Amino acid sequence: MQGEPERHESFRPQAAVPLGGRWLGPVDRIAGRVFRWVNVLGVCMIIVMMLLTSVDVTLRYCCSRPITGAVELVEFLLVIAVFFGLAHTQRMGGNIAADIIDTLVSRRALAVIDVFTGALALVLCIAMTWATYEAAMDPNAHWETTDMLEVPIWPFKLLAAVGMGLLSLEMALNLVRKLLAMAGRGSEDR
């Protein structure tokens, strides 16, 4: 129709396009496998959370004997489930992306914006990884425990840092994909 902006396919990939090259291809494939298995572990934690909560509620209402510390255990499992799923979700294009300006700017401008926002996201992910790692390794943090079960909290902070580190790696690989696509050397120009 006349007066409508030209619509074009978004530059943003729906799922990660495999990287090629002598060393980048193997790194990308290995990272993809690691992300997938870590995600599977996170999904298993969701199943354990579901079963633990169901048994806790059943015992609470049927026998008036809830599982001691079930809420604390679910909180720890939730940390693992969330942070271990981040990198795989990013790789599959499952994280939220606002595409408000996709139809308002040229394809080249959108590619530049995507590279800029990808670099900014990478810097933020690295900063969050570092801050989470520092919080886990703080000598005072080793004395923090949960109230009921007295489980140390620092290992779960460290697991969160691992999950953020994996997300940072995927963000770096994604930035390389975007740069290669801009240079016309990507496997697929979306």
Side-chain angles (χ1 to χ4, degrees):
M1 285 179 58
Q2 195 173 13
E4 272 190 36
E6 179 185 332
R7 297 203 176 262
H8 52 80
E9 189 177 330
S10 175
F11 177 74
R12 294 181 180 91
Q14 295 302 312
V17 177
L19 289 171
R22 186 175 200 168
W23 66 271
L24 211 48
V27 168
D28 189 47
R29 281 190 299 279
I30 291 168
R33 288 185 190 127
V34 170
F35 300 157
R36 191 169 34 253
W37 282 107
V38 168
N39 184 58
V40 167
L41 186 59
V43 169
C44 289
M45 295 303 110
I46 292 172
I47 293 168
V48 172
M49 285 171 36
M50 182 180 63
L51 293 173
L52 179 61
T53 302
S54 298
V55 170
D56 181 47
V57 169
T58 302
L59 290 174
R60 178 183 311 271
Y61 288 106
C62 292
C63 306
S64 296
R65 307 264 316 166
I67 298 173
T68 304
V71 173
E72 290 178 355
L73 293 174
V74 167
E75 289 171 350
F76 287 140
L77 294 171
L78 185 61
V79 167
I80 297 169
V82 168
F83 284 95
F84 278 19
L86 290 175
H88 181 71
T89 303
Q90 176 65 28
R91 189 172 189 87
M92 294 294 108
N95 288 327
I96 296 172
D99 56 3
I100 297 168
I101 63 169
D102 284 33
T103 58
L104 302 176
V105 298
S106 71
R107 189 169 176 81
R108 180 75 176 162
L110 185 60
V112 170
I113 291 169
D114 273 350
V115 167
F116 174 75
T117 57
L120 182 62
L122 174 60
V123 168
L124 290 173
C125 282
I126 291 171
M128 289 190 300
T129 301
W130 182 256
T132 308
Y133 176 77
E134 285 291 314
M137 294 294 106
D138 179 16
N140 295 327
H142 289 257
W143 297 103
E144 287 181 289
T145 61
T146 60
D147 292 333
M148 193 170 293
L149 297 177
E150 297 185 358
V151 175
I153 295 173
W154 73 268
F156 297 95
K157 289 180 180 180
L158 189 58
L159 290 174
V162 167
M164 285 303 301
L166 292 174
L167 177 60
S168 297
L169 175 60
E170 176 53 30
M171 291 295 228
L173 292 170
N174 200 22
L175 184 59
V176 170
R177 280 185 207 98
K178 289 175 183 182
L179 289 169
L180 288 175
M182 271 184 66
R185 294 177 27 199
S187 302
E188 183 178 328
D189 186 21
R190 289 188 179 197

